[in-house]
Amino acid sequence: MDTKKQNPVAVLLGLVADSKGEFTEAVIFAIIGVVAGVIPYFAGAKIIVALMNGIRNMDYFGKLCILALAAYICKVIFANASTTISHSATFKTLIHSFKNDFKAL
């Protein structure tokens, strides 16, 4: 009995071949969401440093707060888009896999 062992990575790549673009898009959106999620922390740190240095310019603080809010909104949008895209691609891949498995029966 001569059975060939298949490479698990090759098997997975074969399963996701139809949705590879969607998975790539989901990963890119997730990375953008993570980067956007870090920006409010830097803005907060700049606000703290400015307060400790005695800066009382409300325009400066307002701009940093708006930057933090905009970055947080981008984080939420891109993280949710990434999750939605990856889940839809995963379900499409599972349906395709199940159809192929049932054809083999």
Side-chain angles (χ1 to χ4, degrees):
M1 187 146 103
D2 191 23
T3 60
K4 257 183 159 177
K5 284 191 175 182
Q6 291 183 339
N7 183 356
V9 175
V11 172
L12 285 175
L13 288 176
L15 289 174
V16 301
D18 294 340
S19 303
K20 193 182 279 187
E22 291 174 73
F23 283 118
T24 304
E25 184 180 11
V27 168
I28 291 170
F29 280 9
I31 291 169
I32 293 170
V34 168
V35 170
V38 172
I39 293 172
Y41 292 101
F42 285 110
K46 287 187 83 142
I47 289 171
I48 291 169
V49 169
L51 286 171
M52 291 176 73
N53 288 332
I55 296 173
R56 300 285 183 247
N57 184 354
M58 290 312 246
D59 288 338
Y60 178 75
F61 296 128
K63 288 177 185 175
L64 285 174
C65 287
I66 290 171
L67 172 68
L69 178 63
Y72 181 74
I73 290 170
C74 285
K75 175 224 179 256
V76 169
I77 290 170
F78 281 104
N80 286 337
S82 170
T83 301
T84 302
I85 293 167
S86 69
H87 285 182
S88 112
T90 300
F91 291 133
K92 188 163 73 170
T93 300
L94 286 173
I95 289 169
H96 179 70
S97 174
F98 288 146
K99 284 181 181 178
N100 286 343
D101 289 346
F102 284 123
K103 284 181 188 176
L105 294 177

